Amino acid sequence: MSAVNEVSTPGGPVRRLAGLLHRRPGLRLSALLAAPLLWLVVAYLGALGALLLSAFWTTNVFTGDIVKQFSTQNFHDLITGEVYRRIALRSIGVAALVTVIDAVIAFPMALCMAKLTSPRAQRWLVIAILTPLWASYLVKAYAWRVMLSGEGLVHWALEPLGMSGAGYGLTAVIITLAYLWLPFMILPIYAGLERLPNSLLDASADLGASTFRTFRAVIWPIAFPAVVAGSIFTFSLSLGDFISVKIVGGKSQLIGNVVYDNIGAANNLPFAAAVATVPVAVMVIYLVAVRRTGALENL
Amino acid sequence: MNTERAAVTLCGVRKAFGSVTAVAGVDLEVYDGEFFAMLGPSGSGKTTVLRLIAGFERPTEGTVHLGGRDVTGLAPFERDANTVFQDYALFPHMNVLANVEYGLKVKKVPKAERRRRAREALATVRLDGYERRRPGQLSGGQRQRVALARALVNRPKVLLLDEPLGALDLKLREEMQVELKSIQRQVGITFLFVTHDQQEALTMSDRIAVFNAGRIEQVGTPAEVYERPASAFVAGFVGTSNLIAGAVAEKLLGRDGVYSVRPEKIRVLAGADLSADVSGEEHSATGTVADVVYAGAATRFVVDLDVGGRLVALQQNLWTSSMDVLELRHERVRLAWRREHEFPIDVAGGD
């Protein structure tokens, strides 16, 4: 049978290759996945492994050279150092607060987009939300720096009310990060609510539930995994950020800039690596915790 | 019937979505305890009328009364009507019991009574023992029953059903038709259901409203609508219909106008019977069989008449088999039907 096929198959090497791949699913799969797998293993997991490995090295205090000898000194310093613990907790607090602020702003926006506007308007709103992502991160962070400065827009707007702007500091960092990561919260929630059939809302109203009750009993429980999915983005992006805090954070210290300072000014790469494992560990714990909500299916 | 109280009354209801008129002026009265069908092709406005009664849409013009009370401006949750949705609309994050209890919980019925009534409703639809299942773990027919129980448990004045059996396969659909009917008798609630399936409407309902292009063409019992269609549209949509009109009508029936004859009222005479006399109570016409469609229990003959026009006759396969009837293709036949089965059709009233 196959011999007959071979003979009757017309044509060149491309067709023969296509035929071969069609008959051998295993070969097809490996051809498709070889490059991405290589990238994942070497560039991504490799880098992560190197990070973890170098975290156990130290530097020579006098020469600044890296001593490639296994030592838990960095982690010891990290855990016993009061200042590092405070910075880690502060970073987690900032990330959590940014996530909550984004969720509170994003949910009504996503709900409005998914359920109240026409399909045409929906398309434009999605574009409007994606457009800021095209602008450079630095430009947006500096824009906030200008707005939050002593003579900036925020100060000018609040002055007549007898208030003054927060100036640079943690509050400014939280505002800026919440602004930067908002699209990453809106889009998963929007996608989640889009999948929610309108008939469920009709059914709830039909069974006697007020609009608020419908929100609490139907919309929120079904959309919650999508909110958690969004929070994975906002939380991890905030936790790893080191630029915003440099630009609008004043003297505040977060994990990100401790890492940065150890790479640059302190020239202690192994210690930077050890600090960098903290957000990685926090994210792993976070992902394991939210796995049960079904959020990972909403990514 | 007419003396009974009206469960639903629509007065001059019109509904436009932008420039599209979905419902173009509908007056309707559905009586208490009735099993009422709204029948029509897709886009005829029947589902919009259902949604207007449920309160999901507001009419552009006209009023909606439920049980004598004007509910035109009220929200769905303020109306004493419950809906069984076409896609069932079960809450995916709740189990069957929580779904059924939802309406009672919202109305703050105490837990013990809520449980009792929900279990009762599930027993009515023969789903006891499924309380802890999620909707995703049920078959289409079971979901349909849960949706029914969820609506019935609230004991509404009117139960609205939007193509309730549309998503089920034929066998299940026929079973559910019988079951819906018996449930309706058992609970005594007015059932108002939307369907595009004329067979379903004929078998299940006490009365039918036939919709076309946003208007009601005819309201009547299944027999009235089927046997005496008020318009060419009704004749064509409810069952297959033969229309005899113009010159053909004058030649065959001796009078002008448009007449409808149902296919199963027509006898097919072939072979030796071809030249046999038909009784004086019958009209007849000769022609050639253009096509024979064998459908198991019956056979459909499509006959081109000698005087022009085409009639379809449906014959029970009482004595014949597929072999016999298929041989009649391209043969000469005589069609005969009783005069009382010719119904004049009001063409002006149709579309």
Side-chain angles (χ1 to χ4, degrees):
Chain A
M1 184 69 193
S2 77
V4 175
N5 268 342
E6 223 98 353
V7 171
S8 63
T9 304
V14 175
R15 278 195 80 101
R16 275 210 302 283
L17 181 65
L20 183 71
L21 287 177
H22 180 78
R23 284 186 294 275
R24 300 265 176 85
L27 194 64
R28 194 168 65 216
L29 199 63
S30 24
L32 272 174
L33 288 183
L37 265 181
L38 202 70
W39 173 258
L40 186 73
V41 171
V42 174
Y44 190 78
L45 293 179
L48 209 59
L51 175 83
L52 204 61
L53 185 67
S54 61
F56 290 101
W57 294 338
T58 49
T59 49
N60 187 310
V61 187
F62 297 111
T63 61
D65 291 338
I66 292 170
V67 182
K68 293 182 180 173
Q69 236 170 9
F70 183 82
S71 155
T72 53
Q73 186 61 43
N74 290 330
F75 289 100
H76 184 259
D77 290 350
L78 205 56
I79 290 164
T80 52
E82 169 70 16
V83 65
Y84 296 119
R85 210 178 317 146
R86 234 184 15 243
I87 289 173
L89 286 178
R90 185 190 298 148
S91 302
I92 292 170
V94 166
L97 205 55
V98 168
T99 299
V100 170
I101 291 170
D102 275 349
V104 169
I105 299 174
F107 204 96
M109 283 178 78
L111 187 63
C112 183
M113 279 167 65
K115 292 297 163 204
L116 302 178
T117 52
S118 69
R120 209 182 130 81
Q122 265 182 48
R123 268 203 306 279
W124 284 110
L125 286 169
V126 170
I127 291 172
I129 283 161
L130 287 174
T131 319
L133 293 177
W134 296 350
S136 157
Y137 174 106
L138 278 177
V139 171
K140 288 182 285 185
Y142 273 107
W144 274 102
R145 185 185 167 88
V146 173
M147 284 197 286
L148 292 167
S149 74
E151 299 86 42
L153 191 68
V154 175
H155 183 75
W156 174 80
L158 289 177
E159 204 176 19
L161 305 172
M163 292 184 283
S164 62
Y168 303 138
L170 266 192
T171 314
V173 173
I174 291 167
I175 292 172
T176 306
L177 290 177
Y179 164 79
L180 286 170
W181 311 139
L182 185 61
F184 295 96
M185 182 62 96
I186 296 177
L187 292 175
I189 300 179
Y190 165 70
L193 290 172
E194 256 254 278
R195 283 199 298 270
L196 173 79
N198 286 330
S199 65
L200 290 188
L201 311 183
D202 282 348
S204 178
D206 184 74
L207 291 165
S210 63
T211 312
F212 177 71
R213 181 70 182 242
T214 299
F215 179 83
R216 193 161 60 84
V218 179
I219 299 176
W220 177 251
I222 292 176
F224 181 68
V227 176
V228 176
S231 80
I232 294 172
F233 292 120
T234 57
F235 191 76
S236 66
L237 288 169
S238 304
L239 205 56
D241 187 86
F242 65 97
I243 303 176
S244 285
V245 66
K246 282 270 176 212
I247 296 173
V248 297
K251 293 194 188 69
S252 326
Q253 292 263 334
L254 294 177
I255 294 180
N257 49 330
V258 171
V259 175
Y260 184 77
D261 291 345
N262 271 292
I263 293 170
N267 193 26
N268 190 343
L269 206 57
F271 190 71
V275 177
T277 56
V278 173
V280 174
V282 170
M283 271 327 287
V284 168
I285 294 169
Y286 189 71
L287 287 177
V288 169
V290 301
R291 198 172 47 112
R292 287 182 54 88
T293 64
L296 303 186
E297 284 85 50
N298 271 273
L299 284 178
Chain B
M1 269 292 187
N2 280 310
T3 54
E4 283 171 60
R5 211 150 52 85
V8 180
T9 313
L10 302 181
C11 280
V13 169
R14 231 173 54 75
K15 175 68 186 175
F17 296 100
S19 58
V20 182
T21 304
V23 180
V26 161
D27 296 286
L28 182 65
E29 197 156 80
V30 179
Y31 308 125
D32 224 2
E34 215 177 6
F35 201 118
F36 193 93
M38 299 199 283
L39 174 67
S42 56
S44 61
K46 57 193 193 303
T47 297
T48 307
V49 168
L50 193 86
R51 291 177 64 82
L52 286 166
I53 297 169
F56 304 134
E57 314 281 355
R58 298 277 167 87
T60 314
E61 258 174 57
T63 58
V64 179
H65 284 77
L66 272 179
R69 172 165 163 251
D70 187 348
V71 298
T72 315
L74 297 187
F77 50 81
E78 297 167 308
R79 300 186 183 200
D80 196 7
N82 285 118
T83 310
V84 176
F85 291 84
Q86 186 171 12
D87 64 355
Y88 313 139
L90 300 179
F91 304 124
H93 58 296
M94 300 180 190
N95 63 26
V96 167
L97 189 65
N99 262 287
V100 176
E101 278 187 341
Y102 187 82
L104 301 175
K105 206 170 164 186
V106 166
K107 290 187 196 90
K108 301 198 169 62
V109 174
K111 186 165 178 175
E113 193 195 339
R114 208 160 77 202
R115 276 285 130 91
R116 188 180 53 75
R117 276 171 65 179
R119 284 181 197 284
E120 223 173 76
L122 282 171
T124 310
V125 297
R126 297 195 286 121
L127 270 184
D128 358 33
Y130 285 80
E131 287 87 352
R132 301 273 154 232
R133 301 269 189 105
R134 291 281 175 124
Q137 299 167 305
L138 301 178
S139 71
Q142 289 167 339
R143 281 182 219 178
Q144 214 271 329
R145 287 157 198 263
V146 175
L148 190 61
R150 186 178 68 175
L152 281 176
V153 79
N154 305 294
R155 296 175 193 152
K157 184 154 258 31
V158 182
L159 186 72
L160 306 167
L161 304 106
D162 184 8
E163 304 259 4
L165 309 177
L168 305 180
D169 61 57
L170 182 65
K171 196 85 187 152
L172 204 54
R173 197 155 70 219
E174 283 172 350
E175 275 175 37
M176 279 308 291
Q177 283 176 6
V178 177
E179 205 168 316
L180 264 184
K181 185 85 190 161
S182 81
I183 288 172
Q184 194 256 346
R185 264 189 229 112
Q186 190 186 329
V187 296
I189 292 172
T190 310
F191 275 36
L192 181 56
F193 86 110
V194 157
T195 181
H196 63 264
D197 183 339
Q198 44 105 358
Q199 205 57 49
E200 200 168 285
L202 290 174
T203 24
M204 294 169 78
S205 4
D206 297 320
R207 283 195 309 149
I208 301 173
V210 184
F211 278 73
N212 180 34
R215 289 178 198 284
I216 294 180
E217 296 257 338
Q218 187 177 6
V219 181
T221 64
E224 279 166 9
V225 170
Y226 186 78
E227 306 271 353
R228 295 178 172 277
S231 69
F233 175 81
V234 176
F237 191 76
V238 184
T240 324
S241 175
N242 294 304
L243 291 186
I244 304 172
V248 181
E250 247 174 275
K251 276 186 207 148
L252 286 181
L253 320 175
R255 52 187 192 261
D256 196 14
V258 181
Y259 300 88
S260 150
V261 184
R262 292 290 178 189
E264 70 277 8
K265 307 287 190 197
I266 299 176
R267 291 196 293 144
V268 179
L269 304 166
D273 297 331
L274 190 58
S275 51
D277 272 342
V278 295
S279 75
E281 289 165 357
E282 284 183 314
H283 276 134
S284 77
T286 52
T288 311
V289 177
D291 203 0
V292 179
V293 183
Y294 177 74
T299 303
R300 199 172 283 276
F301 296 90
V302 182
V303 179
D304 285 326
L305 300 182
D306 294 339
V307 292
R310 175 173 266 204
L311 286 183
V312 176
L314 188 73
Q315 299 288 291
Q316 286 264 316
N317 290 330
L318 270 178
W319 306 105
T320 48
S321 73
S322 62
M323 286 302 108
D324 304 332
V325 294
L326 287 174
E327 274 171 20
L328 281 173
R329 191 169 295 174
H330 307 311
E331 291 295 316
R332 304 268 312 147
V333 291
R334 177 179 288 274
L335 301 178
W337 60 91
R338 298 179 70 85
R339 290 175 183 208
E340 71 243 41
H341 291 143
E342 297 155 4
F343 290 107
I345 282 179
D346 177 13
V347 179
D351 61 335

